[in-house]
């Protein structure tokens, strides 16, 4: 099969089709999404070597006895050991021995096939197209903000960063009834948030007001500082971005206003699929371009361009709605 393999250098190469372990299924990948984290892997994040990519929608191709056989699925990316103290405490997502699809000790989705434990899979409702379903993982990550920082309707929220993740976070906060604002650098990106009732700002025009909740989704040093400057005293800042480097933090911006800073990572797939199936949220306008897997290297170059949102890699035929 064809796959995008990284071992310090990224190349498109022929590799053996993976064989599922006991409890795993074989998935024929239909579409995969390029995430900022994939680009950070190429910079050395997690020191990962293998097939990259972790956002996907596919069709179960085996084993023959699988109840998922022939079904369209998406999959949670963390594979915990299940026996360590963290797993026994209900912290499986933080298992020290976990493998992570396309990120840590587990070949990923930029390939014709992948394997995952059957327990990680979620069926995709027939009404949801592949182009929407491929957003399940990042949409679930956006929903996890609600778990990290519960907030009630009417509270003021600011999302810093108008990229792929920032837009999805702003959509989900607005659907919760928060007075949601989004700040970024691209007017064309900000316009995508307006149908959700979101107030949008270019950074140089941002209101000086404070916010109860600020979500940092830009992954930049300036974005973190802006988040800490605009959260109200005793408010909450949620950090969403993972990067290979280090971003300096001025402790005074946290200590003096007694700000709560929390991290937020993976989220609920079932809830994300419900939003997509009910039509409450449509991520497809975020798609900038779709490349075939044979042009995967070009896709990863293209996504680095300024103003590019979601780039997809098609490893097989997709189902549109």
């Amino acid at each position: 099969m064809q796959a995008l393999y990284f071992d310090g250098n990224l190349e498109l190469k022929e590799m053996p089709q993976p064989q599922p372990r006991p409890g795993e299924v074989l998935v024929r990948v239909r579409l995969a999404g390029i995430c900022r984290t994939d680009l950070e892997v190429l910079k050395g994040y997690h020191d990962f070597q293998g097939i990259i990519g972790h956002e996907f929608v596919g069709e179960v191709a085996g084993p023959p006895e699988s109840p998922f056989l022939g079904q369209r699925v998406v999959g949670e990316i963390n594979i915990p050991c299940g026996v360590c103290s963290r797993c026994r405490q209900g912290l499986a997502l933080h298992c020290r021995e976990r493998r992570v699809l396309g990120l840590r000790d587990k070949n990923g989705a930029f390939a014709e096939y992948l394997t995952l434990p059957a327990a990680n899979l979620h069926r995709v409702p027939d009404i949801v197209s592949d182009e929407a379903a491929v957003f399940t993982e990042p949409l679930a990550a956006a929903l996890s903000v609600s778990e990290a920082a519960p907030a009630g309707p009417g509270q003021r929220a600011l999302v810093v960063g108008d990229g792929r993740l920032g837009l999805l976070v702003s959509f989900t906060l607005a659907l919760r009834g928060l007075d949601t604002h989004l700040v970024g650098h691209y007017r064309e990106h900000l316009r995508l948030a307006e149908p959700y009732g979101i107030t949008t700002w270019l950074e140089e025009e941002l209101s000086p007001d404070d916010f109860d909740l600020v979500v940092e989704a830009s992954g930049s040093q300036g974005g973190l500082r802006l988040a800490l400057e605009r959260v109200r005293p005793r408010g909450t800042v949620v950090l969403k971005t993972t990067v290979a480097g280090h971003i300096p933090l001025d402790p005074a911006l946290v200590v003096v206003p007694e700000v709560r800073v929390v991290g937020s990572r993976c989220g609920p797939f079932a809830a994300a699929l419900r939003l997509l199936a009910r039509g409450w949220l449509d991520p497809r306008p975020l798609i900038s371009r779709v490349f075939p897997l044979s042009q995967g290297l070009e896709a990863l170059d293209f996504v680095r361009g300024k103003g590019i949102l979601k780039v997809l890699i098609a490893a097989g035929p997709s189902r549109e709605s």
Side-chain angles (χ1 to χ4, degrees):
M1 68 172 187
Q2 284 192 317
L4 283 172
Y5 186 86
F6 180 70
D7 60 358
N9 292 303
L10 182 65
E11 62 178 321
L12 181 70
K13 61 187 297 185
E14 285 290 330
M15 298 184 65
Q17 180 177 304
Q19 299 301 310
R21 301 177 179 182
E24 290 188 335
V25 298
L26 178 69
V27 177
R28 182 183 297 112
V29 179
R30 297 166 74 106
L31 281 177
I34 300 176
C35 171
R36 179 183 179 130
T37 306
D38 299 320
L39 302 182
E40 294 299 319
V41 167
L42 301 181
K43 297 177 185 177
Y45 183 63
H46 274 325
D47 294 322
F48 177 74
Q49 293 190 8
I51 300 170
I52 62 174
H54 58 280
E55 302 174 5
F56 75 93
V57 57
E59 180 181 331
V60 174
E65 66 274 14
S66 171
F68 288 100
L69 189 67
Q71 298 287 319
R72 284 191 309 148
V73 295
V74 291
E76 301 193 33
I77 66 176
N78 293 281
I79 308 169
C81 73
V83 296
C84 71
S85 60
R86 289 186 180 180
C87 288
R88 295 196 304 271
Q89 293 167 14
L91 297 171
L93 288 181
H94 303 281
C95 169
R96 290 189 180 91
E97 303 302 322
R98 74 185 183 279
R99 295 178 293 145
V100 185
L101 185 72
L103 295 171
R104 182 173 174 177
D105 299 327
K106 177 67 175 175
N107 280 331
F110 295 164
E112 294 180 72
Y113 292 88
L114 61 81
T115 59
L116 264 182
N120 285 50
L121 300 185
H122 295 262
R123 288 185 176 90
V124 177
D126 290 341
I127 198 171
V128 179
S129 69
D130 287 350
E131 288 77 8
V134 75
F135 282 87
T136 302
E137 195 277 338
L139 178 55
L143 287 169
S144 73
V145 170
S146 301
E147 299 174 350
Q155 286 195 289
R156 287 168 51 81
L158 173 67
V159 179
V160 179
D162 57 359
R164 303 170 287 271
L165 182 57
L167 283 163
L168 291 175
V169 170
S170 70
F171 297 171
T172 59
L173 292 177
L175 288 173
R176 285 172 54 196
L178 275 68
D179 177 12
T180 305
H181 298 243
L182 173 67
V183 60
H185 297 287
Y186 299 97
R187 288 192 187 277
E188 61 271 26
H189 294 186
L190 297 174
R191 290 191 191 103
L192 296 174
E194 291 171 358
Y196 295 87
I198 295 165
T199 303
T200 62
W201 307 86
L202 291 173
E203 186 171 333
E204 60 271 19
E205 300 171 354
L206 179 61
S207 161
D209 297 334
D210 289 343
F211 295 86
D212 303 294
L213 168 67
V214 182
V215 182
E216 203 298 298
S218 74
S220 68
Q221 181 177 342
L224 177 58
R225 186 172 188 89
L226 178 63
L228 292 169
E229 289 174 345
R230 292 308 171 89
V231 67
R232 67 165 172 80
R234 294 195 173 182
T236 301
V237 172
V238 178
L239 305 182
K240 285 299 300 180
T241 309
T242 51
V243 296
H246 299 279
I247 297 177
L249 171 65
D250 180 356
L253 293 176
V254 177
V255 174
V256 175
E258 299 181 308
V259 171
R260 179 173 175 256
V261 179
V262 297
S264 171
R265 188 164 53 101
C266 299
F269 271 52
L273 286 168
R274 282 195 298 272
L275 284 180
L276 296 173
R278 293 172 182 174
W280 293 353
L281 187 152
D282 184 2
R284 290 173 296 180
L286 276 64
I287 299 172
S288 294
R289 189 168 168 185
V290 181
F291 287 80
L293 179 58
S294 61
Q295 297 177 16
L297 296 175
E298 291 92 329
L300 283 155
D301 285 336
F302 180 81
V303 78
R304 294 183 177 95
K306 286 188 176 181
I308 301 300
L309 286 173
K310 200 65 175 180
V311 173
L312 304 181
I313 293 176
S318 63
R319 181 191 300 183
E320 298 179 355
S321 63

